[in-house]
Amino acid sequence: MGLKDLLRNTQNDILEQNEELLEDYNLINTFGSPNKLFLKFLNSKNLKIDEDIITEELIAEFQDSVDSINLKLEKIKKQKETIFKERKVWINIPSNDDEWVGTDLLLDHDGITIKETNEKILYSQMDEIEILDGGWSKKKVLIKLEDRDLIFAINEDLATPLKEILEDNIDNESYDEIDGLLELYSLFEEGKISEEELEIRKAVIYSDDVYCTNCGHKLDSDSLFCPECGHQILFDDI
């Protein structure tokens, strides 16, 4: 039941007071219900919208937390783009004498390679990826493989972006996402595409939608031919 519907069936002054404040701050959706993210925030504070008086200070704290989350997501996005562009990231791996050795982790379309040992691990061999505390501005990335665990240390700012990249490529093993992004950045740096076109093409790469590989027209999932250029849609295209 939406908040407005609930108000019609109750004399609860707290609800009425909260409704006015939430409407002032655009925290009620078109169905008359409070913003779901705000409700989760209240729940984390052990507060209930029909029992506790909501204050402007509480809403300000919520908005600060949302801004903090958005800033963190934007930072992760930029770090991911940097990793895609460089096609490598600096890591530390444990050596035989219990010390840690610095090396590059190289990203390919089908897997990763540890430069120091020249070991190649395919995305298809990866089962799960976890981020563990590493101390001293470092995180440890644990990759569960079919027969063992691979662990390495990495700058904490790069841990989550790298984890997301690896998980994206595990989910899209048949799609050469990294090479596609590298090609886009190359075109952009050569001045062949604008920054706006770069962002549009990146959105296409990250999207689950299907596009014609000949002209780029968006396709229906069951298309056999592109309605724009007539190109035959092969299984590999999808």
Side-chain angles (χ1 to χ4, degrees):
M1 177 183 294
L3 183 56
K4 290 183 177 180
D5 292 332
L6 192 59
L7 284 170
R8 294 190 187 101
N9 296 284
T10 183
Q11 298 298 317
N12 192 325
D13 292 336
I14 292 178
L15 278 175
E16 187 173 357
Q17 180 178 338
N18 286 341
E19 182 200 29
E20 293 176 357
L21 189 60
L22 294 181
E23 285 186 333
D24 287 344
Y25 283 91
N26 276 334
L27 290 175
I28 290 183
N29 61 32
T30 55
F31 301 103
S33 300
N35 178 290
K36 289 184 177 180
L37 194 58
F38 183 65
L39 289 177
K40 288 184 178 180
F41 171 77
L42 290 182
N43 185 59
S44 70
K45 300 279 186 182
N46 294 317
L47 300 175
K48 293 186 178 179
I49 203 158
D50 58 346
E51 295 179 4
D52 300 282
I53 296 177
I54 308 304
T55 64
E56 291 186 352
E57 289 76 15
L58 191 65
I59 291 176
E61 183 182 347
F62 163 71
Q63 291 175 333
D64 286 343
S65 69
V66 171
D67 290 342
S68 176
I69 291 171
N70 289 336
L71 285 173
K72 183 177 180 181
L73 291 175
E74 184 64 25
K75 184 175 182 180
I76 289 173
K77 178 183 176 183
K78 289 181 178 179
Q79 293 285 16
K80 284 180 68 174
E81 290 176 355
T82 299
I83 294 173
F84 271 126
K85 186 176 179 181
E86 297 293 333
R87 204 173 184 174
K88 64 182 179 180
V89 64
W90 184 258
I91 64 171
N92 293 96
I93 58 173
S95 64
N96 293 331
D97 52 2
D98 294 329
E99 295 185 357
W100 291 78
V101 178
T103 186
D104 280 324
L105 180 72
L106 308 176
L107 286 87
D108 296 311
H109 70 279
D110 59 344
I112 59 176
T113 300
I114 300 174
K115 188 174 181 180
E116 177 73 18
T117 62
N118 203 34
E119 179 184 12
K120 177 74 175 275
I121 300 109
L122 301 177
Y123 298 124
S124 58
Q125 297 175 303
M126 301 179 188
D127 292 329
E128 187 180 350
I129 302 172
E130 297 179 13
I131 296 179
L132 310 173
D133 185 34
W136 292 95
S137 299
K138 295 283 187 181
K139 291 290 185 181
K140 290 182 180 178
V141 176
L142 171 66
I143 302 178
K144 294 183 178 294
L145 305 175
E146 296 171 341
D147 56 348
R148 61 187 176 89
D149 290 343
L150 170 68
I151 192 167
F152 55 83
I154 186 172
N155 184 297
E156 62 181 358
D157 287 341
L158 299 176
T160 298
L162 179 64
K163 179 177 183 288
E164 291 186 3
I165 290 173
L166 296 179
E167 289 176 337
D168 286 345
N169 284 282
I170 290 172
D171 293 337
N172 301 281
E173 292 172 47
S174 61
Y175 183 65
D176 200 344
E177 184 177 278
I178 292 179
D179 284 345
L181 286 169
L182 287 171
E183 181 181 351
L184 281 185
Y185 277 109
S186 176
L187 291 172
F188 174 67
E189 289 173 351
E190 293 170 7
K192 295 180 179 179
I193 61 174
S194 65
E195 184 174 359
E196 181 181 9
E197 187 173 359
L198 171 67
E199 294 301 319
I200 292 173
R201 292 197 187 187
K202 276 167 48 183
V204 170
I205 287 177
Y206 285 125
S207 172
D208 292 330
D209 294 328
V210 179
Y211 294 83
C212 174
T213 55
N214 185 54
C215 72
H217 185 76
K218 185 177 178 180
L219 305 170
D220 293 330
S221 58
D222 57 352
S223 296
L224 297 179
F225 294 89
C226 174
E228 186 71 17
C229 69
H231 178 70
Q232 183 178 4
I233 309 302
L234 304 175
F235 181 80
D236 289 343
D237 292 333
I238 302 177

